[in-house]
Amino acid sequence: RAMVSPITTHVLDTANGRPAAGLRLKLEQLMSGMWSVLAEKKTNGDGRVPDLLPVDYVPDKDGVYRITFETEEYFRANGAECFYPYAQIVFRITQPQQHHHVPLLLSPYGYSTYRGS
């Protein structure tokens, strides 16, 4: 596999049919009942964050992670209103040696996600 972060994301602005460039997000891990920040980044021009974590980072087996996307900030910067001030995706990693891609399909009034490849 290419040398990329073990957890990546890609945000597509489905209302405008383009990548959501410049969207701020935060990756956290649940540790002892509290969320611990692992990274804070912005999406690139392609709506991706290829360097979310160091390439040698190995996620915890059965670890629970959360990505918070600052959707309201993104839509305001693009002159649009937004119903959801942020979107959070919480997921569990059971196979830490695999790459985990967590995409977000985003519009001002809805969002969806799936386990990507």
Side-chain angles (χ1 to χ4, degrees), residues 8 15 32 49 70 109:
T8 56
S32 302
V49 184
E70 297 296 335
Y109 298 99

Side-chain angles (χ1 to χ4, degrees), residues 14-91:
T14 59
N16 293 302
R18 65 177 183 234
L23 190 147
R24 206 163 46 90
L25 59 93
K26 176 172 49 179
L27 173 65
E28 299 166 285
Q29 181 179 4
L30 188 60
M31 300 172 129
S32 302
M34 298 183 66
W35 291 104
S36 176
V37 176
L38 299 178
E40 294 184 77
K41 302 278 184 166
K42 278 189 177 184
T43 56
N44 64 18
D46 194 33
R48 298 178 184 274
V49 184
D51 61 344
L52 192 54
L53 291 170
V55 296
D56 59 351
Y57 180 89
V58 178
D60 289 344
K61 181 170 174 47
D62 221 26
V64 176
Y65 295 82
R66 174 172 73 183
I67 303 176
T68 302
F69 299 87
E70 297 296 335
T71 54
E72 184 172 61
E73 177 183 279
Y74 166 78
F75 281 114
R76 278 189 181 161
N78 287 282
E81 291 186 15
C82 175
F83 183 70
Y84 299 100
Y86 58 88
Q88 289 186 323
I89 301 172
V90 180
F91 56 99

